[in-house]
Amino acid sequence: METEQAEKTHPIAGYISALVLAGLVFWLTAALNTNEKAIVGVPFLLGWAIISLIIFNRRGAREEH
């Protein structure tokens, strides 16, 4: 079925949600541990979020659906 709407190709909402999720996990980790331990995990959380968005936003992955 064809639609007249243009396909959204920008992952801005995904990046924002990844940053929010990383912030929430940091906040929870800081609440349960010290801030020093929580800060160690921040690069891993942000890296995981960005790499996941890059992997799942490839053009080939969109064309399969």
Side-chain angles (χ1 to χ4, degrees):
M1 178 180 215
E2 295 286 326
T3 62
E4 295 180 8
Q5 295 178 336
E7 181 182 351
K8 294 181 180 179
T9 58
H10 54 86
I12 300 300
Y15 286 113
I16 292 172
S17 63
L19 292 175
V20 169
L21 182 63
L24 288 174
V25 171
F26 170 76
W27 177 73
L28 182 63
T29 305
L32 296 174
N33 296 302
T34 61
N35 276 342
E36 290 80 22
K37 289 183 181 180
I39 289 174
V40 170
V42 169
F44 297 107
L45 291 170
L46 293 177
W48 164 76
I50 292 172
I51 289 172
S52 296
L53 285 170
I54 290 170
I55 290 171
F56 291 116
N57 282 322
R58 291 181 300 179
R59 182 169 300 277
R62 276 183 276 162
E63 292 173 356
E64 291 175 3
H65 295 288

